[in-house]
């Protein structure tokens, strides 16, 4: 590596930082999405106790992604991370039809919180690789997403483990970050 | 900016320096070995076996010496050891054969008279058994972590039920799917999804801890219910399985295993390392006096850094499960 290229690399480029909050029930796939974004191995992910945070470069943005545990006992702590959130990503296990109501309830709570007012919402309908997964459209209907009118929102089908759909979701995020 | 740049240059230089040093070593080492062999009348492996203290210092040196050997015969014997341990066939008759193969090859190649050196074959054998046994154990761990927990598998289910009755002997489960699982720190009403990532290995680890160190496990479980310093016992347990798994696959656990095992390391050796980690993490967590569970990630990271530092800086590191009297919170 020549000295010039080292110097060029060291030259700091001002980047826009985006704070992203990754929420959803336990076992939805939040940490897998986080690791996939950071291009890390997703083979051995264990349930999140507390939270994980990673900074990822994407499309000229620096994404600071906060992945908070989804276990019921941890959900009360979600609020502590709401401040200055630019985008909310809500992850749903599309194959867990039994808990669709529960996940809908938690999402409604989030949307009603004034700290998250007007924050763009991306919903990942995850685990599309599983045979009995509901489609994004079915989930959108089940959760009555069309009722959301106070913010830009999008539902994106994906399979974090396979790596499909994540990039499309992040493109939507970059395009819909609130202009500061 | 200049400081940043010069530090980068410095890094490049030191990296190159290390490279030159290893080149030098590559060419000088055989000459040193030849000189020592002439003056002491012993080959490198003999000097290691007689001179290095038992445990990790000797096992690491034997491993390095065998892997660096330039003798075609020894390389072939080492390749056989690698293959048998990787295929997890390093047991029974094959183990016996592999050990004889390497020992005899060394005796012939290095022209060692076994009658004049009766202790050498025994010491060499022992080191080879532990070193390649580690490789085999690593394969076994990877396999167990890759085996998904399957609720239609009777064996898996029986183990899960046993875990419950060991930790909660006085409170029978009301049904298979129940909120009760949260009392021992699973996330929801069915533990099966929590085993993702570490597979059956997570369950086996928990079960070993709960059966071999039942009172310690119950004590740790009681700590996990503390109003401020509480945590999810089973979930933290599965996170610690992941920590132990990576210590194994990233070879940090070698120091420990090479010190505590005098024979073939077994899955129990891994379980014991896990139990040590669990008991120690519990103490570490309480001593850190966390504000709430959201401090878990960084406290876990500090704990792991501490463990890795011990394993990489102290060649005599050997962890022993500390069964203590109740630690008052």
């Amino acid at each position: 590596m020549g000295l010039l290229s080292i110097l060029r690399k060291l030259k700091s480029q001002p980047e826009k930082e985006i704070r992203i909050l990754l929420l959803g029930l336990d076992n939805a796939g939040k940490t897998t999405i986080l690791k996939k974004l950071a291009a890390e191995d997703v083979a051995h992910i264990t349930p999140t106790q507390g939270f994980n945070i990673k900074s990822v470069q994407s499309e000229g943005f620096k994404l600071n992604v906060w992945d908070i545990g989804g276990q019921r006992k941890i959900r009360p702590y979600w609020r502590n991370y709401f401040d200055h959130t630019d985008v909310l990503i809500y992850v749903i296990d599309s194959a867990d039809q039994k808990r669709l109501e529960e996940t809908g309830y938690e999402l409604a709570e989030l949307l009603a919180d004034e700290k998250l007012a007007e924050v763009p919402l991306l919903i990942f309908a995850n685990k599309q690789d599983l045979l009995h997964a509901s489609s994004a459209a079915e989930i959108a209907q089940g959760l009555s997403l069309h009722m959301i009118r106070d913010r830009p929102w999008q539902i994106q089908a994906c399979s974090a483990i396979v790596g499909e759909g994540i990039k499309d979701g992040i493109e939507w995020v970059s395009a819909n970050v609130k202009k500061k | 900016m200049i400081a940043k740049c010069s530090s980068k240059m410095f890094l490049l230089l030191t990296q190159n320096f290390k490279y030159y040093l290893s080149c030098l070593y590559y060419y000088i080492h055989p000459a040193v070995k030849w000189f020592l062999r002439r003056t002491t009348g012993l080959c490198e492996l003999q000097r290691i076996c007689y001179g290095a203290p038992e445990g990790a210092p000797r096992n690491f040196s034997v491993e390095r010496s065998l892997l660096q050997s330039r003798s075609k015969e020894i390389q072939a014997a080492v390749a056989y050891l690698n293959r048998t341990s990787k295929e997890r066939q390093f047991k029974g008759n094959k183990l016996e054969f592999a050990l004889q193969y390497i020992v005899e090859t060394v005796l012939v190649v290095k022209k060692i008279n076994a009658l004049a050196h009766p202790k050498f074959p025994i010491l060499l054998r022992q080191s080879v058994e532990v070193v390649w046994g580690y490789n085999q154990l690593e394969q076994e761990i990877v396999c167990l972590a890759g085996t998904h927990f399957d609720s239609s598998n009777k064996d898996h289910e029986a183990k899960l039920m046993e875990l419950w009755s060991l930790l909660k002997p006085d409170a029978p489960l009301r049904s298979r799917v129940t909120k009760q699982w949260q009392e021992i720190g699973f996330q929801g009403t069915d533990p099966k999804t929590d085993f993702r990532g570490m597979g059956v290995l997570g369950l086996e680890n928990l079960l070993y801890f709960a059966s071999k160190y039942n009172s310690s496990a119950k004590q740790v479980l009681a700590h996990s219910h503390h109003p401020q310093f509480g945590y999810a016992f089973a979930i933290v347990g599965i996170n610690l399985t992941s920590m132990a798994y990576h210590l194994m696959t990233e070879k940090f656990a070698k120091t420990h295993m090479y010190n505590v095992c005098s024979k073939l390391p077994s899955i129990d050796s891994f379980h014991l390392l896990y139990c040590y980690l669990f008991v120690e993490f519990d103490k570490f967590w309480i001593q850190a006096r966390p504000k709430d569970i959201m401090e878990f990630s960084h406290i876990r990271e500090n704990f792991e850094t501490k463990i890795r530092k011990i394993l990489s800086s102290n060649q005599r590191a050997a962890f022993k499960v500390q069964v203590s009297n109740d630690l008052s919170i």
Side-chain angles (χ1 to χ4, degrees):
Chain A
M1 198 191 290
L3 185 60
L4 205 65
S5 61
I6 292 178
L7 286 174
R8 233 178 250 143
K9 266 199 180 157
L10 289 174
K11 197 176 153 195
S12 61
Q13 292 163 341
E15 261 181 341
K16 194 173 170 192
E17 287 196 28
I18 303 178
R19 181 185 163 101
I20 296 180
L21 204 52
L22 203 54
L23 297 175
L25 303 188
D26 52 280
N27 198 38
K30 299 175 290 298
T31 307
T32 308
I33 289 176
L34 179 75
K35 294 235 174 185
K36 206 81 196 183
L37 281 175
E40 287 176 22
D41 176 30
V42 294
H44 298 294
I45 289 167
T46 50
T48 304
Q49 190 69 164
F51 67 91
N52 304 301
I53 174 169
K54 283 194 192 301
S55 289
V56 189
Q57 310 287 334
S58 174
E59 320 208 350
F61 291 103
K62 184 179 176 198
L63 310 177
N64 296 319
V65 188
W66 296 72
D67 156 34
I68 325 275
Q71 182 189 351
R72 191 179 283 274
K73 271 193 189 148
I74 294 186
R75 287 179 215 161
Y77 294 104
W78 284 0
R79 283 202 95 227
N80 303 349
Y81 299 83
F82 286 176
D83 285 334
H84 313 294
T85 295
D86 295 306
V87 177
L88 171 63
I89 298 182
Y90 194 77
V91 186
I92 294 174
D93 174 354
S94 311
D96 189 2
Q97 280 89 356
K98 272 191 211 151
R99 293 205 292 170
L100 190 64
E101 195 182 329
E102 185 181 343
T103 199
Y105 168 78
E106 295 293 347
L107 177 61
E109 289 276 294
L110 292 172
L111 298 183
D113 199 293
E114 61 183 30
K115 276 186 180 171
L116 290 177
E118 294 175 41
V119 170
L121 166 72
L122 171 69
I123 296 172
F124 271 129
N126 192 22
K127 307 201 187 181
Q128 292 295 324
D129 53 300
L130 297 182
L131 267 181
H132 49 290
S134 304
S135 69
E138 284 165 337
I139 288 172
Q141 196 175 17
L143 298 181
S144 310
L145 294 183
H146 57 274
M147 302 291 281
I148 305 175
R149 282 152 205 258
D150 55 350
R151 69 191 75 220
W153 65 271
Q154 166 89 346
I155 183 162
Q156 172 69 49
C158 77
S159 164
I161 208 117
V162 178
E164 270 167 22
I166 304 292
K167 196 164 172 279
D168 304 288
I170 295 307
E171 274 167 16
W172 184 87
V173 166
S174 318
N176 284 273
V177 180
K178 245 187 349 185
K179 310 282 178 288
K180 279 189 207 167
Chain B
M1 167 91 170
I2 289 166
K4 235 181 174 179
C5 190
S6 65
S7 77
K8 210 157 185 175
M9 296 289 279
F10 178 71
L11 202 75
L12 271 170
L13 276 175
T14 50
Q15 272 167 356
N16 280 341
F17 181 67
K18 271 188 190 156
Y19 171 73
Y20 297 136
L21 210 64
S22 69
C23 277
L24 203 66
Y25 176 79
Y26 183 80
Y27 290 109
I28 300 266
H29 187 62
V32 174
K33 277 207 300 191
W34 177 85
F35 177 74
L36 285 173
R37 168 135 213 192
R38 278 303 161 103
T39 48
T40 62
L42 299 169
C43 76
E44 186 185 48
L45 279 166
Q46 282 174 299
R47 293 196 303 273
I48 293 166
C49 286
Y50 296 147
E54 198 181 346
R58 186 190 297 161
N59 293 335
F60 272 121
S61 301
V62 167
E63 179 180 17
R64 184 187 41 77
S65 177
L66 284 174
L67 290 176
Q68 284 178 352
S69 175
R70 295 187 197 188
S71 141
K72 287 274 174 293
E73 291 85 358
I74 293 180
Q75 284 173 356
V78 166
Y80 183 77
L81 285 172
N82 286 341
R83 202 168 56 240
T84 9
S85 57
K86 196 163 184 206
E87 290 165 357
R88 295 165 57 196
Q89 298 293 318
F90 201 53
K91 49 193 141 195
N93 291 339
K94 278 208 171 171
L95 170 68
E96 199 47 46
F97 175 77
L99 291 176
Q100 255 179 18
Y101 181 19
I102 185 75
V103 169
E104 273 166 27
T105 308
V106 169
L107 290 179
V108 170
V109 171
K110 300 293 173 191
K111 301 191 184 72
I112 299 166
N113 180 354
L115 290 174
H117 295 279
K119 253 184 92 186
F120 172 65
I122 299 168
L123 298 177
L124 179 62
R125 236 182 111 93
Q126 191 184 24
S127 284
V128 170
E129 186 172 336
V130 172
V131 170
W132 272 271
Y134 182 97
N135 292 348
Q136 172 165 266
L137 178 59
E138 187 189 328
Q139 294 301 320
E140 194 174 345
I141 301 301
V142 170
C143 175
L144 281 171
T147 308
H148 289 291
F149 178 86
D150 173 6
S151 32
S152 63
N153 182 318
K154 279 193 182 136
D155 181 44
H156 294 179
E157 280 292 306
K159 282 178 173 158
L160 183 59
M161 293 305 159
E162 198 188 341
L163 176 66
W164 175 269
S165 52
L166 282 166
L167 291 172
K168 288 269 179 183
D170 306 324
L173 272 182
R174 284 186 287 275
S175 68
R176 170 62 181 79
V177 175
T178 162
K179 271 190 176 173
Q180 278 177 291
W181 288 113
Q182 293 170 13
E183 292 169 29
I184 60 170
F186 285 103
Q187 294 195 97
T189 52
D190 188 343
K192 71 177 182 196
T193 55
D194 290 338
F195 290 116
R196 71 189 120 105
M198 281 297 127
V200 176
L201 187 64
L203 176 58
E204 299 269 4
N205 271 166
L206 281 168
L207 190 56
Y208 188 93
F209 184 41
S211 62
K212 286 285 153 60
Y213 294 97
N214 189 258
S215 56
S216 289
K218 280 182 183 156
Q219 188 188 316
V220 170
L221 177 64
H223 291 166
S224 81
H225 290 142
H226 188 273
Q228 186 185 343
F229 307 135
Y231 53 85
F233 178 85
I235 296 305
V236 167
I238 292 168
N239 271 280
L240 292 170
T241 295
S242 167
M243 188 184 295
Y245 173 94
H246 286 104
L247 289 176
M248 275 300 284
T249 56
E250 291 163 32
K251 324 291 182 199
F252 281 85
K254 271 189 178 178
T255 321
H256 163 76
M257 291 293 180
Y258 284 7
N259 279 322
V260 299
C261 298
S262 55
K263 278 182 152 60
L264 201 65
S266 69
I267 187 76
D268 282 2
S269 321
F270 180 75
H271 287 320
L272 285 170
L273 171 64
Y274 171 81
C275 294
Y276 170 83
L277 291 176
F278 212 148
V279 171
E280 294 306 308
F281 177 79
D282 180 61
K283 286 184 209 160
F284 191 86
W285 171 259
I286 292 165
Q287 276 159 11
R289 304 191 73 79
K291 197 169 94 263
D292 54 47
I293 190 63
M294 301 317 276
E295 294 198 40
F296 179 79
S297 310
H298 84 259
I299 290 178
R300 181 206 126 118
E301 211 173 293
N302 291 347
F303 178 69
E304 185 164 2
T305 308
K306 180 185 148 191
I307 294 289
R308 284 179 181 237
K309 210 167 167 186
I310 295 172
L311 288 169
S312 55
S313 64
N314 174 12
Q315 220 179 32
R316 304 314 300 261
F319 298 139
K320 197 168 177 298
V321 186
Q322 298 291 328
V323 187
S324 64
N325 296 321
D326 202 350
L327 190 73
S328 51
I329 305 181

